[in-house]
Amino acid sequence: MTLDEARRAIVDGMNYAAYKETDSSLYDSDKNRLFGSEHYKSGRFIVKPSPWPEGDFEGKMAVLLNWASTLNRSDPDFAEAKCLLEAEDSLIGRVIRRSKLSDLPSRLP
């Protein structure tokens, strides 16, 4: 698995978790921020700003990652992607490390 494939697996898993658990999927801007470059371009018309960046973005993404990890617990590729990116000095690396903290809420504010 390449680093870009790992990023895509993590971001896509988090996007699915966001939609499933909150009915508000990640916007392309949120996914690109996590990915670390302009990778997602859906062409969707944006009516209102994304709700995700307000407040503690990394904290919200860590909660989403925990949800995604639960939803993908039987997928070895998802676990491998997290391992590959965990030590990275990037937003997604910080989110993975933060998701391991025990004081994360189980719900988003």
Side-chain angles (χ1 to χ4, degrees):
M1 174 179 293
T2 68
L3 292 176
D4 279 354
E5 289 170 336
R7 283 184 194 88
R8 193 170 28 259
I10 298 295
V11 172
D12 290 348
M14 291 169 66
N15 185 48
Y16 176 71
Y19 181 76
K20 183 171 181 357
E21 299 295 329
T22 71
D23 292 330
S24 181
S25 61
L26 297 172
Y27 284 31
D28 287 348
S29 58
D30 305 320
K31 293 187 277 187
N32 286 330
R33 186 173 173 187
L34 285 165
F35 197 86
S37 66
E38 292 295 316
H39 182 78
Y40 295 90
K41 296 175 187 168
S42 67
R44 284 183 271 168
F45 181 72
I46 304 299
V47 177
K48 61 182 180 174
S50 169
W52 298 105
E54 294 179 18
D56 181 10
F57 182 76
E58 284 186 26
K60 290 177 184 178
M61 295 302 105
V63 171
L64 286 181
L65 180 56
N66 282 342
W67 293 345
S69 295
T70 299
L71 292 169
N72 288 285
R73 67 180 159 262
S74 63
D75 182 359
D77 289 340
F78 193 82
E80 179 185 353
K82 284 180 21 180
C83 287
L84 280 173
L85 300 172
E86 182 176 1
E88 231 183 38
D89 183 25
S90 64
L91 175 62
I92 204 162
R94 289 190 306 274
V95 167
I96 292 168
R97 290 187 298 275
R98 191 165 176 183
S99 73
K100 294 183 173 194
L101 299 176
S102 61
D103 64 344
L104 283 177
S106 59
R107 286 278 162 221
L108 292 169

